[in-house]
Amino acid sequence: MTGRYDETEGRGPEEPVVVRDRRRIDPQTGEIRPAAPAAEPQDGPKHAAPTEDTVEPVPPAAQTEPEPATHAGPGLGESIVDESVSVASGLEKELAERTADLQRLQAEYANYRKRVDRDREQVVAGAKASVVGDLLPLLDDLERAEQHGDLTGAFKAVGEKLVGSLQRSGLEPFGTEGEPFDPSVHEAVQHSTSPDVTGPTVTMVMRRGYRFGDRVLRAALVGVTDHEPGGATTEPIDQPVGGELPLEGELFDENNR
């Protein structure tokens, strides 16, 4: 007996075979098919045997559509570039400020060191000058003893060592006869004139002066001779006759000639 119905036997026509392609991915294009609405069951056998084209439903996990890759548009890229440029410029500006601060601190420290060294040198020079100033009366006594011939023997050797040590430390005597008069280092206590000099000249030294470095410890006491310009010659006054003195009027006339 066949599965076909014979019309001659009074049976209905044979039911056509319906094949439904339930694959989610189109085998030709490779794209995901949209979900089809559930079809109403048609008349036919409830338990139809699966055919070759029948595909088992895909599990829910496999039905998830892949998310399309997001690509940054031109606006987003430009904003990122602008932000990077602004950050770089800000870093360069901050670096320049820090460099300027460092250079200013270095200059201030260098000036501070120079000022400290200069102050230290001034303090040392002032201390030495104070000690040497206290020894000046002793040097005057040694000079007077030498002028009178009393600086002899061991006393002379000690005096020479003392004077040499002070001169090596920076002590310098000044005030000798014949040098030009300088009011900043000479103290004039005597004045005279002479045609033999061309200007104010030291012709007598009463006390020697001393300087220590660029500091004058004591001015020299000197006598100064200034130049005497040549004046007009005057006629001699007539000598009185017979030992008589001229009258007061005659003397006045003679002086006014």
Side-chain angles (χ1 to χ4, degrees), residues 174 184-185 210-219:
F174 63 88
S184 62
V185 295
Y210 291 94
R211 65 166 59 92
F212 189 82
D214 56 350
R215 182 179 306 181
V216 177
L217 298 181
R218 188 180 69 183

Side-chain angles (χ1 to χ4, degrees), residues 169-252:
S169 299
L171 183 65
E172 180 183 358
F174 63 88
T176 57
E177 296 180 359
E179 65 181 12
F181 174 73
D182 186 359
S184 62
V185 295
H186 296 147
E187 183 178 354
V189 295
Q190 184 178 352
H191 182 266
S192 60
T193 58
S194 173
D196 298 335
V197 297
T198 58
T201 306
V202 176
T203 55
M204 181 183 300
V205 179
M206 303 174 186
R207 189 185 66 184
R208 193 180 300 275
Y210 291 94
R211 65 166 59 92
F212 189 82
D214 56 350
R215 182 179 306 181
V216 177
L217 298 181
R218 188 180 69 183
L221 295 179
V222 296
V224 182
T225 300
D226 204 350
H227 176 66
E228 181 182 1
T233 57
T234 58
E235 297 179 359
I237 303 175
D238 296 338
Q239 297 295 331
V241 179
E244 296 179 358
L245 295 176
L247 299 177
E248 183 176 0
E250 295 177 356
L251 180 61
F252 178 79

Side-chain angles (χ1 to χ4, degrees), residues 29-198:
T29 61
E31 296 180 356
I32 299 175
R33 295 176 177 177
E40 296 181 358
Q42 300 179 358
D43 296 340
K46 298 181 179 180
H47 301 284
T51 61
E52 296 179 356
D53 295 335
T54 304
V55 180
E56 295 295 332
V58 182
Q63 295 179 3
T64 306
E65 297 181 0
E67 297 180 358
T70 57
H71 299 282
L76 181 59
E78 292 178 357
S79 63
I80 293 176
V81 172
D82 295 340
E83 185 177 357
S84 301
V85 171
S86 62
V87 171
S89 61
L91 292 176
E92 291 179 357
K93 182 178 180 181
E94 185 176 359
L95 178 60
E97 292 177 355
R98 297 296 180 271
T99 303
D101 294 341
L102 180 59
Q103 292 176 352
R104 183 170 59 255
L105 289 175
Q106 289 179 347
E108 291 178 356
Y109 180 69
N111 294 333
Y112 169 75
R113 288 192 58 182
K114 291 180 181 179
R115 184 169 61 254
V116 169
D117 294 340
R118 183 174 61 253
D119 295 343
R120 184 185 297 110
E121 292 177 358
Q122 291 179 355
V123 170
V124 173
K128 290 182 179 180
S130 178
V131 174
V132 174
D134 295 337
L135 296 177
L136 294 183
L138 178 60
L139 297 180
D140 293 338
D141 294 339
L142 293 175
E143 185 176 1
R144 296 190 190 96
E146 184 178 7
Q147 292 175 357
H148 291 82
D150 296 334
L151 191 62
T152 57
F155 184 61
K156 180 179 180 180
V158 173
E160 291 177 352
K161 288 182 180 180
L162 177 61
V163 173
S165 299
L166 294 177
Q167 290 180 354
R168 285 192 298 270
S169 299
L171 183 65
E172 180 183 358
F174 63 88
T176 57
E177 296 180 359
E179 65 181 12
F181 174 73
D182 186 359
S184 62
V185 295
H186 296 147
E187 183 178 354
V189 295
Q190 184 178 352
H191 182 266
S192 60
T193 58
S194 173
D196 298 335
V197 297
T198 58

